Amino acid sequence: MSRWSGDSVRIGLESRTRGNTGHATAGGGTVSRTDRAAVEPVAALVAVLAVGAALGLYVAAIDDAMPEHDRPVAEATLDRIEPGVTVGGVVDPERLAGVTRLRYATTVEVRAGGETWRIDSGANAPALDDPFASDRIAVARRTVTVRVAPGRNVRGTLRAAVRR
C-alpha cells in the first residue's frame, strides 16, 4: 500500500493511516506496515534510469580517453589482397602478380614449402625482415593454405609490410 502526503504518521503516538497492524516499537508506540519506508514504482524507475544514464556517460568518457582504435594498415592490406590471390580457399602464388593499386609502399610475400613469392609497390617498399624497421612500418601475417604444385597444397604464410 502507498501513502499520500496528506497522511500523518507519528512515532510514539497512534497513526491515522488505514491498515494499522499495531507493531510495537522501541519507544513504546506502534508503527504499521504502511509506515515503513517504501519507494513508489515511478520513483524507482527514475532512479534506475538516472543510474543507467550516469554509467553510460562514464563509459563514453572512458572510451574518449582511450587511444584511437584504428585498424592496422597491414591487416587491412591483407584483407584486401587475400581474396584476389585465393581460389577455393587456397592461395595461388601465381595470382600474386595480379595484385595492383596498393595505396601505400607495400611488400607482400607468400612462403610455403621452402619457396617464396614476393611483390612490392616500388623502390621505397619496406623489407619484411628489416630488424631496424621504424614505427611507420606495419607488418601483418596470416597462416594460409598455399598451392605449390598441381594437386599439392601445403601450409604457408601470407605476410604484408606497409610503410605509411
Side-chain angles (χ1 to χ4, degrees):
M1 287 187 147
S2 63
R3 286 187 324 193
W4 60 285
S5 61
D7 289 340
S8 67
V9 176
R10 293 187 190 141
I11 306 275
L13 300 175
E14 242 182 341
S15 69
R16 293 190 294 163
T17 61
R18 289 174 242 132
N20 190 349
T21 57
H23 295 291
T25 63
T30 60
V31 177
S32 70
R33 276 185 196 246
T34 58
D35 293 336
R36 293 184 183 189
V39 179
E40 293 290 329
V42 174
L45 287 174
V46 169
V48 168
L49 289 174
V51 169
L55 285 174
L57 289 173
Y58 176 74
V59 168
I62 293 295
D63 189 43
D64 286 344
M66 298 296 287
E68 292 297 317
H69 303 291
D70 288 337
R71 187 156 179 237
V73 175
E75 286 291 330
T77 301
L78 279 182
D79 286 345
R80 193 174 63 246
I81 290 173
E82 188 175 9
V85 298
T86 302
V87 177
V90 178
V91 172
D92 184 2
E94 302 303 321
R95 296 187 77 172
L96 201 57
V99 173
T100 57
R101 295 179 36 200
L102 298 170
R103 184 174 180 183
Y104 299 106
T106 305
T107 301
V108 179
E109 176 183 84
V110 177
R111 283 188 183 179
E115 296 184 61
T116 302
W117 298 268
R118 180 179 297 150
I119 62 163
D120 57 31
S121 62
N124 64 346
L128 284 164
D129 298 322
D130 184 6
F132 302 106
S134 70
D135 291 339
R136 297 189 52 86
I137 297 176
V139 179
R141 73 180 68 226
R142 193 172 290 170
T143 302
V144 293
T145 302
V146 181
R147 177 180 178 246
V148 293
R152 185 167 174 250
N153 300 331
V154 296
R155 296 303 283 170
T157 305
L158 177 64
R159 297 191 314 163
V162 180
R163 182 188 325 263
R164 290 184 15 157

